[in-house]
Amino acid sequence: MNRLGILLASVLVLFGAPAWGEGSGLLNAVAYKPLTAGSALAVSPLDNSDQNLRLQALFESELRARGFTVSSDAALVLTFETRSSPGIWSDEGTRRIIELTDRRDQGGVEAPRVQLNLYNSNRGGVFNQGRPGTNVGAPGQYRLDATIDDRRSGERLWQGWTTAPLIRSDGHSLSMSMVPVMVESVGSTVKRKPFVLP
């Protein structure tokens, strides 16, 4: 593993590696201002795809189950979006079998050269692979973000996000399982709380 690979792996372990198991995710939330019980909320996806419209219906159902009123013209609006990030990053390494060289000189004396590499420890060739690639292993990550803002004042009252690895499920199923966890934390501050995925 080269220096870049070691550095990326170290950064991932020290700062970015989430503390989840195979069947769990993490919940974080910040309450900036209190939300009164029974507050009226509108739910709005940032992208109105079919999948997000199904998530919107689930958000509305979960909010009602927790005592909130859902109304499209409410002053408070819960906005959500989903995101995913790729998992394993890989550098395939180098293997140069044929190299072309063209030295542009004004006199036109030196013609372009073609070089066939039979064996080269660093760059590879016909008889060897050359420098091996670097792999930094990490599962793909899926994230659901939600905010509650006051449309009248523009103030943010609450913000929450859940993350989970894309291991056993597709992104839409994963986000559907994250919505109840997210709604449970509405109005509260939560720091790196693990939750179990179905």
Side-chain angles (χ1 to χ4, degrees), residues 35-40 66-69:
L35 282 172
T36 57
S39 297
R66 299 204 175 274
F68 290 96
T69 303

Side-chain angles (χ1 to χ4, degrees), residues 40-54:
L41 294 170
V43 179
S44 175
L46 286 179
D47 169 18
N48 63 350
S49 65
D50 290 342
Q51 290 183 351
N52 279 350
L53 292 178
R54 287 192 289 273

